[in-house]
Amino acid sequence: GDSVTQMEGPVTLSEEAFLTINCTYTATGYPSLFWYVQYPGEGLQLLLKATKADDKGSNKGFEATYRKETTSFHLEKGSVQVSDSAVYFCALSDRTGANSKLTFGKGITLSVRP
Amino acid sequence: DTAVSQTPKYLVTQMGNDKSIKCEQNLGHDTMYWYKQDSKKFLKIMFSYNNKELIINETVPNRFSPKSPDKAHLNLHINSLELGDSAVYFCASSPSGTHGYTFGSGTRLTVV
């Protein structure tokens, strides 16, 4: 079945540091890939997505490139801020239509200190 | 207006009780979901409905019964609550044929 593997956390960085969060996936078809963010006490928000190989999703300074050859979708940001402190989830969906669903990785907690 | 709204936001109840969580979306989406987030933050799908029809049921105990009175609502009823049911439950919706998922803010259920 489908699965998403994220690097182990938590991750603690200083403000303005470079961020990389690794994500790899296993899927039978050609999935769409997502990064979701969950701020403390809140629900999940879509951060970015990519629907086909070599696509780059970007939002709020975060980027991730869909790499089919390495089955990866690593999240990067050049300079993190304290406000980026949250839990980040990598996810995939390999179907559209009525039986679409998201399969999530385990999430990683990012703490950014001033 | 909140796109996907869940009520209640917090729910504390005793073992053995029956409780319901409600979800409504005003996005006109065809598909709605329930996800469970455990204490380690892991998210797993429980159910999905498309136009009031059950599509996905992911090995969830029979004590959990979703109900969709119309395509804008998906409620979750839980019978005989157990300690292990304590979690955050998220409702979500998406239009059919796309990957545009929108999540609610979650319901934190605590069973004591």
Side-chain angles (χ1 to χ4, degrees):
Chain A
D2 297 342
S3 66
V4 176
T5 302
Q6 290 184 234
M7 61 184 275
E8 293 290 325
V11 173
T12 302
L13 295 173
S14 297
E15 206 165 24
E16 299 183 2
F18 183 85
L19 169 71
T20 299
I21 302 177
N22 289 342
C23 171
T24 57
Y25 67 89
T26 302
T28 52
Y30 297 95
S32 292
L33 302 174
F34 306 82
W35 277 100
Y36 280 84
V37 59
Q38 184 177 25
Y39 297 103
E42 298 185 13
L44 289 108
Q45 300 176 27
L46 177 64
L47 181 59
L48 54 85
K49 68 178 182 181
T51 57
K52 61 183 188 298
D54 300 325
D55 270 1
K56 178 186 283 188
S58 60
N59 186 26
K60 299 182 181 179
F62 290 89
E63 293 183 339
T65 301
Y66 189 144
R67 301 286 187 201
K68 185 167 176 288
E69 63 277 11
T70 53
T71 61
S72 64
F73 193 55
H74 304 321
L75 183 68
E76 296 182 337
K77 186 174 185 181
S79 175
V80 294
Q81 306 300 312
V82 172
S83 57
D84 294 326
S85 298
V87 182
Y88 291 81
F89 294 91
C90 186
L92 70 81
S93 178
D94 69 352
R95 315 166 200 167
T96 58
N99 59 355
S100 166
K101 68 173 184 179
L102 281 168
T103 299
F104 287 91
K106 290 191 173 181
I108 187 168
T109 299
L110 170 66
S111 299
V112 180
R113 53 176 183 246
Chain B
D1 282 344
T2 304
V4 180
S5 59
Q6 296 179 227
T7 54
K9 191 171 176 64
Y10 300 97
L11 183 55
V12 181
T13 187
Q14 291 187 327
M15 275 196 308
N17 283 352
D18 304 337
K19 291 292 179 186
S20 293
I21 306 171
K22 297 186 176 182
C23 178
E24 175 181 5
Q25 55 96 2
N26 63 4
L27 299 167
H29 290 170
D30 298 302
T31 308
M32 296 185 71
Y33 309 81
W34 280 110
Y35 284 82
K36 180 180 179 181
Q37 185 176 44
D38 64 22
S39 59
K40 297 183 178 179
K41 301 284 190 185
F42 186 58
L43 279 151
K44 193 172 185 334
I45 190 167
M46 300 174 69
F47 302 102
S48 76
Y49 269 74
N50 179 264
N51 284 318
K52 304 192 295 177
E53 180 185 351
L54 178 66
I55 303 297
I56 295 173
N57 181 345
E58 291 272 323
T59 60
V60 178
N62 291 337
R63 299 182 295 104
F64 290 78
S65 53
K67 287 186 172 53
S68 182
D70 55 62
K71 75 173 192 177
H73 295 83
L74 180 61
N75 303 322
L76 183 64
H77 188 75
I78 315 170
N79 289 325
S80 303
L81 278 155
E82 301 176 357
L83 293 176
D85 298 331
S86 295
V88 181
Y89 292 85
F90 285 100
C91 179
S93 70
S94 71
S96 292
T98 78
H99 295 294
Y101 304 90
T102 302
F103 282 80
S105 58
T107 295
R108 181 175 294 277
L109 171 65
T110 304
V111 182
V112 297

